[in-house]
């Protein structure tokens, strides 16, 4: 029996305004993420009933797409926090600590990271995700991307940003760059630092 469920958001639907609207958050969470969960459960049930390698291979795409959608979005919600610039929370605030040190060591500054991240992520053809990942071999931070709903398997995910149109279109229309600039105001760097320190102490992806 599959136990996948839609996780609750750690804040209200309007908590990320004005950077991400309530309408987007509600649709993105209740409709899009719920669809990935439902489809993943259905694909796993079909896989459990399948009796031939051909049937199992045919289900791989659905498992990867919907499983990746569930993994990525579960991480994405925790990755965000109400904006400190609006006096609502800790979003966008990178405090002194190991993550800030590593960002400055690798990229020179947080602004330089944002510039590289936004340029790389905006360059994704079609839909996908932009990532700040920890390379498990070198223990260095790297900017990378994945297509569609593919989860990040080559690195330990530190920050992930959804660049599917459903994540921004109702507010930013087709201007991905405005969305990418805005989202840094609601990035939860405390959660990112937790993932970073855990990643340093473990070589497991």
């Amino acid at each position: 029996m599959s136990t996948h469920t839609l996780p609750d958001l750690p804040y209200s639907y309007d908590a990320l305004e004005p950077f991400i609207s309530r309408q987007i958050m509600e649709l993105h969470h209740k409709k899009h993420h719920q669809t990935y969960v439902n489809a993943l459960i259905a694909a796993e049930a079909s896989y459990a009933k399948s009796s031939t390698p051909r049937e199992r291979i045919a289900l791989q795409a659905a498992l990867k797409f919907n499983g990746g959608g569930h993994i990525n979005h579960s991480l994405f919600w925790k990755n965000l926090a109400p904006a400190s610039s609006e006096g609502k929370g800790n979003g966008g605030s990178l405090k002194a600590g190991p993550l800030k040190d590593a960002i400055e060591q690798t990229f020179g500054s947080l602004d330089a990271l944002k510039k590289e991240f936004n340029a790389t992520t905006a360059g994704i053809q079609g839909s996908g995700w932009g990532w700040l990942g920890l390379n498990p071999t070198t223990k260095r931070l790297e900017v990378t991307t994945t297509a569609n709903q593919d989860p990040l398997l080559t690195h330990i995910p530190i920050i992930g940003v959804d660049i599917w149109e459903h994540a921004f279109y109702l507010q930013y229309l087709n201007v991905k760059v405005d969305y990418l600039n805005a989202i840094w105001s609601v990035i939860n760097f405390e959660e990112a630092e937790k993932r970073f320190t855990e990643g340093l102490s473990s070589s497991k992806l």
Side-chain angles (χ1 to χ4, degrees), residues 12-58:
S12 63
Y13 284 117
D14 62 359
L16 305 182
E17 290 188 339
F19 303 101
I20 304 180
S21 70
R22 178 193 179 100
Q23 185 186 25
I24 285 176
M25 289 302 294
E26 214 159 343
L27 282 168
H28 199 172
H29 181 249
K30 282 187 191 170
K31 302 291 184 197
H32 291 284
H33 191 171
Q34 184 68 64
T35 299
Y36 297 128
V37 171
N38 294 347
L40 175 60
I41 291 168
E44 287 187 344
S46 297
Y47 192 89
K49 286 186 218 151
S50 62
S51 57
T52 67
R54 189 171 185 278
E55 288 175 320
R56 290 187 193 116
I57 290 165

Side-chain angles (χ1 to χ4, degrees), residues 68-202:
H70 181 39
I71 290 166
N72 290 347
H73 283 86
S74 298
L75 185 149
F76 184 58
W77 308 132
K78 289 183 186 173
N79 222 150
L80 304 174
S84 62
S85 63
E86 303 295 306
K88 291 181 174 183
N90 66 337
S93 176
L94 176 61
K95 297 186 170 72
L99 180 60
K100 186 172 192 277
D101 292 345
I103 287 170
E104 289 176 351
Q105 183 187 358
T106 305
F107 300 97
S109 67
L110 177 59
D111 282 344
L113 162 61
K114 289 177 184 177
K115 194 173 173 185
E116 181 178 330
F117 186 101
N118 289 5
T120 303
T121 303
I124 292 172
Q125 298 296 310
S127 302
W129 288 74
W131 300 97
L132 178 66
L134 180 65
N135 183 314
T137 307
T138 64
K139 302 289 188 185
R140 285 180 70 79
L141 292 170
E142 294 172 1
V143 171
T144 187
T145 62
T146 56
N148 302 312
Q149 288 298 351
D150 293 2
L152 185 63
L153 301 177
T154 55
H155 296 66
I156 294 158
I158 307 301
I159 293 170
V161 173
D162 188 349
I163 200 70
W164 279 66
E165 283 195 342
H166 66 229
F168 64 87
Y169 196 85
L170 288 170
Q171 187 170 1
Y172 294 98
L173 301 179
N174 61 333
V175 190
K176 281 184 193 175
V177 175
D178 287 355
Y179 162 68
L180 288 167
N181 285 332
I183 204 166
W184 290 100
S185 294
V186 288
I187 290 293
N188 186 344
F189 285 106
E190 285 180 23
E191 172 69 16
E193 182 164 271
K194 186 170 137 245
R195 289 185 202 148
F196 176 68
T197 52
E198 283 172 2
L200 283 178
S201 61
S202 161

